[in-house]
Amino acid sequence: MPLYRDFSDDNATILVWKYDESEELDIHELLEPENAEKVKDYHPKKLLEVLMVRKLLKGLKPHSKILYKEREPFLSPKDAEISITHSFPFAAIAISKNKIGIDIEKFNPKILRVIDKFTYEHERGFIPEDKADTFYTIIWSVKESMYKIHHSKYWSLKKNYEVKPFELKHLHKISCRVYDNQFSDEFKARVEFFDDYCFTIVEE
């Protein structure tokens, strides 16, 4: 299977695949029986994304499954940490010895309509007006990646996730954190661009 990008590092294998119609994705071969009910009403493109992730996993850990606990994916047997993301025609997987979160987002000016949902006004002072959609897409993606490490349905991307000011020329060590009244967990996010997409990696 031809890979589109390989962003692996010393701690994690991080692979991105772009859908190719010539690639056969057999649902009976790739999908775990435990997930059959979960995907039965999926749109065909979303189902393809799910199968692409399984195909990537099969090349890395052929005897492992991706199962879910409260919508959060985990490996079975649980001998490594996993994160997955997809936005057709792309799908990606990360397998690491430590907790990891990855996210892929297509750049789209429509994100400017929803910035109040995931940022406060005081967080926006460093963002240039002519590149606003790029910056907000990165911020959204970084927060989504952190959410996959600190998963909780009670936490808000706006209230509990922060991305510190950054520049587009320095995208490999963006300071960010997950926090509440009791704790603050600091991270460095790594952001990559390809095609018209933003790909974000946050590692514990």
Side-chain angles (χ1 to χ4, degrees):
M1 181 180 71
L3 286 174
Y4 190 75
R5 291 286 189 276
D6 184 341
F7 296 120
S8 303
D9 58 28
D10 291 341
N11 294 316
T13 300
I14 306 164
L15 305 178
V16 182
W17 180 24
K18 187 175 183 180
Y19 179 64
D20 180 346
E21 290 184 1
S22 67
E23 186 76 36
E24 186 175 343
L25 296 171
D26 185 339
I27 188 170
H28 303 292
E29 176 190 343
L30 296 172
L31 186 70
E32 306 86 355
E34 295 91 334
N35 292 322
E37 186 69 17
K38 177 182 173 67
V39 307
K40 68 175 185 177
D41 296 322
Y42 276 15
H43 184 280
K45 282 187 178 178
K46 187 171 183 181
L47 181 59
L48 281 175
E49 293 169 349
V50 168
L51 298 179
M52 287 163 68
V53 167
R54 270 64 185 178
K55 188 85 172 186
L56 286 167
L57 178 66
K58 211 164 189 60
L60 297 170
K61 296 175 76 66
H63 303 296
S64 294
K65 297 179 180 181
I66 298 175
L67 302 179
Y68 295 86
K69 182 179 180 182
E70 296 178 355
R71 300 196 309 169
E72 184 178 7
F74 67 90
L75 275 180
S76 176
K78 199 172 188 329
D79 55 359
E81 299 291 338
I82 188 173
S83 183
I84 60 178
T85 186
H86 34 71
S87 178
F88 195 83
F90 293 102
I93 189 170
I95 296 176
S96 176
K97 60 181 84 169
N98 303 317
K99 283 198 171 184
I100 188 168
I102 60 172
D103 184 69
I104 185 169
E105 301 290 340
K106 187 175 176 65
F107 289 110
N108 190 330
K110 289 182 180 178
I111 197 168
L112 301 179
R113 301 177 190 173
V114 296
I115 60 174
D116 287 331
K117 292 186 177 180
F118 65 96
T119 63
Y120 288 107
E121 192 170 341
H122 71 264
E123 295 180 277
R124 307 170 191 162
F126 72 98
I127 297 175
E129 192 172 328
D130 63 332
K131 299 275 189 185
D133 56 332
T134 299
F135 275 80
Y136 284 117
T137 301
I138 292 169
I139 291 169
W140 173 269
S141 190
V142 170
K143 289 189 176 190
E144 282 284 340
S145 293
M146 285 192 287
Y147 179 81
K148 291 176 180 180
I149 293 177
H150 276 285
H151 177 79
S152 171
K153 62 183 177 181
Y154 303 109
W155 286 2
S156 154
L157 290 186
K158 184 171 181 174
K159 294 178 181 178
N160 300 101
Y161 299 80
E162 179 186 12
V163 179
K164 304 290 179 65
F166 61 89
E167 299 178 13
L168 294 183
K169 61 183 178 182
H170 299 299
L171 291 177
H172 279 195
K173 290 188 177 179
I174 297 176
S175 296
C176 51
R177 68 174 181 141
V178 183
Y179 67 99
D180 62 15
N181 293 332
Q182 277 75 48
F183 92 109
S184 177
D185 206 352
E186 310 277 338
F187 299 97
K188 295 288 186 185
R190 172 182 162 200
V191 176
E192 305 281 356
F193 294 165
F194 52 81
D195 286 19
D196 201 21
Y197 286 79
C198 165
F199 184 70
T200 302
I201 304 159
V202 176
E203 297 183 71
E204 199 171 54

